[in-house]
Amino acid sequence: MEASGSMSMKGLPVRRPPAINRFFSSTPVSIVIYLLIVASILYSSFRGAQSMGYNWQWYQIPKYIYSYTDDGFQFGELMFGLWTTITLSFSALILAMLFGLLVALLRLSGLVIGTKVAICFLEFVRNIPLLVLVYLFYYVLGPVFKYDRYTASILCLAVYHSALISEILRAGINAVAQGQWEAAKSIGMSKAQMYRYIILPQSIRFMLPPMTGEVVHMVKSSAIVSVIAVAELTTLGQNIISDTYMAFEIWFTIAVIYMVVIMILSIGASQVERRYTVTN
Amino acid sequence: MSNTLPIIKFESVDKFYGNFQALKDITISVNAGERMVICGPSGSGKSTLIRCINGLENHNAGKLTVDGIEVFEGSKDIIRLRQEIGMVFQQFNLFPHLTVLENLTIGPIKVRKIPKSEAEIMARKYLERVHIPEQAEKYPAELSGGQQQRVAIARSLCMESKILLFDEPTSALDPEMINEVLDVMVELADTGMTMVCVTHEMGFARKVADTMVFMDEGKIIEVAPPEKFFSNPDSDRCREFLEQILEH
Ligand SMILES: Nc1ncnc2c1ncn2[C@@H]1O[C@H](COP(=O)(O)OP(=O)(O)OP(=O)(O)O)[C@@H](O)[C@H]1O
Ligand SMILES: [Mg+2]
């Protein structure tokens, strides 16, 4: 592209991309290629399952999602798992934002101790694998502070993501022009008032895109707490498989559930972003 | 002019940025109601001087008193004192996420704790004063540079402060907008407000200044009433500077 662009500037004829490239990058062909790839993945997994003598039982799956009995409509086990995943992620997210804001403000405070403490915390969290953090919060801190596995998983996810969120907040706050601080100071605002009325409202615009990515990341990383057997989506999936040996069906189903949830989140997020840029 | 109490008083003030000394032994005072215009070449410390007055910069040595209150780093009084000092910046620094009206009322409402309705009446009065009452509901980005700067002036007025500081209020403006801002400033000067103004608009300076100050390399070189300052300054450095900028 660039090469042809600069050639045309020198007065040479623009070389069109070769026909074969144009063919492969046109929309209908792309869709066909995409479908072919997906189909071949599905086909090969089915073939693999077949050659293992796998006994497909898709008809069993709906009852893990919902059932309709004499008692009326009921959600299945996977939906309860999903609900736990959502509440877990949401609670952790709220905590992570509060904690992240605290860390970001500490870091921006200009106090030497505040900055040091914040940086130590960030390095600590950033350099430990999430899995180890989960074990730490459950097996080490859990007995010490006497909390259960559900609390452990919320705290662990909150701490892990607060480190990431604090960096998003800090970058957003720093992106607000220096003159805004000066103008706010010069009308006699206190530090808290400057943040609340002038700086934070403006930095939201910068924070929103990375923050929505962080929400998606939170939902996905919540699956890790299955290692301490919190009854969320992934754990319940494992339980069902160990009872029924339907590994293929359940994992496909769970992958699709995560995908649907995250797609809904992404659509919601882009709606919020659009709303915000319009009113601004 | 009738009142001759110094409201701003610098006594041997020094200011350093790292090893670089931006203000050198500044001693000067501004009386209540006085209009002072400061000029000087780029980098001479004009902004630094004016920003020390409301504590946007902190001086390192000497004594600075504003309205009877000493200004120093970490002073608990500075937030209260800033309510008495309005500041207009070269880059306007309006709050882009607030409407013009909200820009004017946020200080009175949140800082001065004035009821919203009262603050809005006052804001509209000052918008009238700067000749843009019809722009109240717009956002800053929808206004021209000259209009934005007049909103910024109105924002300072809304704090009903005793002192107004201007740091090159017209140098970011297109030429055709400079006069609308200067006109507003001349009208303000006529109300007897204490004004300290960094500007190179010598026509404006001649019209309003009680005192002219020339700075160079962090020092105050010349302090004189405008008649003497423009016709017969004591220092050669000042004379050269005036010749340079009056050529244009
Ligand atoms: N934050 C800072 N850090 C380091 N040096 C600074 C800082 N602010 C200003 N200076 C230096 O201090 C000196 C005086 O700056 P100041 O902004 O007060 O000059 P000025 O007279 O307002 O110039 P101009 O007409 O360009 O606005 C300059 O040499 C400048 O480089
Ligand atoms: Mg300056």
Side-chain angles (χ1 to χ4, degrees):
Chain A
M1 279 295 274
E2 242 171 40
S4 62
S6 62
M7 278 198 329
S8 70
M9 291 219 300
K10 285 178 197 148
L12 294 172
V14 180
R15 190 149 47 97
R16 302 222 293 163
I20 186 145
N21 283 3
R22 267 183 293 139
F23 174 75
F24 277 113
S25 55
S26 72
T27 311
V29 177
S30 302
I31 291 173
V32 169
I33 293 174
Y34 180 75
L35 288 178
L36 275 177
I37 292 172
V38 171
S40 65
I41 290 172
L42 289 178
Y43 178 73
S44 59
S45 56
F46 275 70
R47 276 300 297 271
Q50 220 97 51
S51 66
M52 283 163 54
Y54 191 84
N55 175 21
W56 290 99
Q57 304 175 57
W58 280 110
Y59 66 91
Q60 296 256 31
I61 294 299
K63 76 163 185 267
Y64 293 111
I65 295 173
Y66 70 91
S67 55
Y68 211 83
T69 61
D70 299 340
D71 302 339
F73 182 85
Q74 277 179 324
F75 281 117
E77 224 172 318
L78 286 183
M79 287 298 106
F80 286 107
L82 175 61
W83 180 244
T84 308
T85 289
I86 290 172
T87 50
L88 184 75
S89 308
F90 189 73
S91 320
L93 187 70
I94 300 290
L95 259 184
M97 285 192 181
L98 292 177
F99 205 47
L101 184 62
L102 192 76
V103 174
L105 293 180
L106 253 185
R107 193 147 177 213
L108 292 165
S109 65
L111 303 170
V112 178
I113 297 177
T115 318
K116 285 263 153 59
V117 167
I119 291 179
C120 278
F121 170 77
L122 291 178
E123 289 303 317
F124 175 79
V125 173
R126 243 186 307 199
N127 295 318
I128 295 183
L130 179 53
L131 185 58
V132 175
L133 213 56
V134 174
Y135 287 142
L136 201 64
F137 267 82
Y138 184 54
Y139 290 113
V140 179
L141 299 179
V144 174
F145 294 101
K146 311 239 178 321
Y147 53 68
D148 61 2
R149 53 187 81 221
Y150 186 69
T151 315
S153 57
I154 290 181
L155 288 179
C156 170
L157 288 172
V159 163
Y160 180 73
H161 286 270
S162 70
L164 307 171
I165 286 177
S166 83
E167 288 299 272
I168 294 174
L169 296 178
R170 193 171 69 96
I173 288 168
N174 281 337
V176 175
Q178 193 58 35
Q180 295 293 308
W181 290 98
E182 298 184 349
K185 268 189 204 171
S186 75
I187 56 174
M189 284 193 172
S190 66
K191 197 131 192 182
Q193 289 174 325
M194 290 190 252
Y195 271 115
R196 174 150 173 224
Y197 300 116
I198 308 300
I199 304 301
L200 289 180
Q202 288 186 61
S203 49
I204 284 174
R205 192 159 43 103
F206 303 110
M207 294 169 184
L208 223 43
M211 202 60 106
T212 55
E214 199 46 40
V215 174
V216 167
H217 185 189
M218 174 71 92
V219 174
K220 288 194 289 184
S221 66
S222 72
I224 202 161
V225 303
S226 62
V227 299
I228 55 169
V230 173
E232 46 70 74
L233 187 53
T234 308
T235 307
L236 288 186
Q238 281 170 339
N239 292 350
I240 294 169
I241 291 165
S242 60
D243 290 347
T244 63
Y245 301 102
M246 297 190 296
F248 281 52
E249 298 91 330
I250 293 291
W251 285 134
F252 272 125
T253 309
I254 286 178
V256 169
I257 293 176
Y258 274 115
M259 255 175 63
V260 168
V261 169
I262 285 166
M263 270 153 83
I264 291 172
L265 276 178
S266 305
I267 292 169
S270 63
Q271 220 69 16
V272 171
E273 268 171 54
R274 189 165 321 141
R275 184 94 145 276
Y276 202 84
T277 45
V278 167
T279 56
N280 225 32
Chain B
M1 280 168 289
S2 51
N3 197 342
T4 50
L5 286 175
I7 192 166
I8 303 170
K9 203 163 163 193
F10 285 80
E11 292 167 83
S12 305
V13 168
D14 291 331
K15 163 74 186 167
F16 291 86
Y17 290 114
N19 286 328
F20 176 78
Q21 188 166 6
L23 295 181
K24 298 174 186 163
D25 195 24
I26 300 289
T27 299
I28 194 166
S29 56
V30 183
N31 292 334
E34 182 174 348
R35 279 103 48 169
M36 178 178 281
V37 171
I38 304 172
C39 61
S42 182
S44 56
K46 308 179 297 293
S47 298
T48 307
L49 179 83
I50 205 170
R51 288 157 62 87
C52 280
I53 297 173
N54 66 350
L56 288 185
E57 302 287 352
N58 290 294
H59 58 283
N60 306 102
K63 191 173 171 192
L64 169 59
T65 334
V66 179
D67 200 20
I69 297 170
E70 191 175 345
V71 179
F72 56 92
E73 182 153 19
S75 160
K76 293 272 175 288
D77 295 321
I78 191 70
I79 287 185
R80 196 159 48 82
L81 189 57
R82 280 184 186 139
Q83 297 175 28
E84 303 300 332
I85 311 171
M87 184 157 197
V88 176
F89 301 86
Q90 181 174 358
Q91 300 296 341
F92 326 139
N93 295 352
L94 294 177
F95 305 130
H97 61 303
L98 302 179
T99 64
V100 166
L101 197 67
E102 289 165 338
N103 263 277
L104 302 199
T105 54
I106 192 156
I109 294 173
K110 302 302 179 194
V111 178
R112 291 226 131 133
K113 315 284 183 202
I114 289 173
K116 187 168 179 230
S117 54
E118 218 172 286
E120 285 184 354
I121 291 171
M122 182 170 72
R124 288 186 194 279
K125 179 182 89 183
Y126 284 119
L127 278 180
E128 198 98 39
R129 174 88 73 83
V130 300
H131 312 302
I132 38 175
E134 70 286 357
Q135 312 285 7
E137 323 302 333
K138 288 196 182 164
Y139 282 90
E142 300 172 90
L143 305 183
S144 73
Q147 290 173 327
Q148 288 189 45
Q149 192 60 300
R150 285 184 283 151
V151 172
I153 293 173
R155 178 173 67 183
S156 302
L157 293 175
C158 275
M159 291 304 287
E160 313 243 82
S161 25
K162 296 179 182 166
I163 303 169
L164 267 188
L165 309 176
F166 294 86
D167 190 359
E168 307 207 32
T170 56
S171 41
L173 294 176
D174 292 336
E176 71 272 17
M177 294 174 187
I178 289 177
N179 279 330
E180 66 188 50
V181 172
L182 290 180
D183 289 345
V184 165
M185 290 169 63
V186 171
E187 288 165 26
L188 273 180
D190 292 339
T191 64
M193 170 89 80
T194 308
M195 288 167 70
V196 180
C197 187
V198 174
T199 185
H200 291 153
E201 295 294 334
M202 288 306 150
F204 165 79
R206 262 186 232 267
K207 225 182 273 178
V208 307
D210 298 312
T211 312
M212 292 295 305
V213 173
F214 174 72
M215 286 184 75
D216 193 18
E217 296 181 339
K219 284 187 289 234
I220 291 182
I221 307 288
E222 181 105 24
V223 181
E227 310 81 56
K228 174 160 163 30
F229 187 87
F230 288 109
S231 58
N232 186 25
D234 289 331
S235 83
D236 296 336
R237 189 68 196 81
C238 181
R239 193 186 317 257
E240 282 164 28
F241 176 78
L242 285 176
E243 275 164 14
Q244 261 175 23
I245 62 168
L246 292 178
E247 257 172 34
H248 303 302

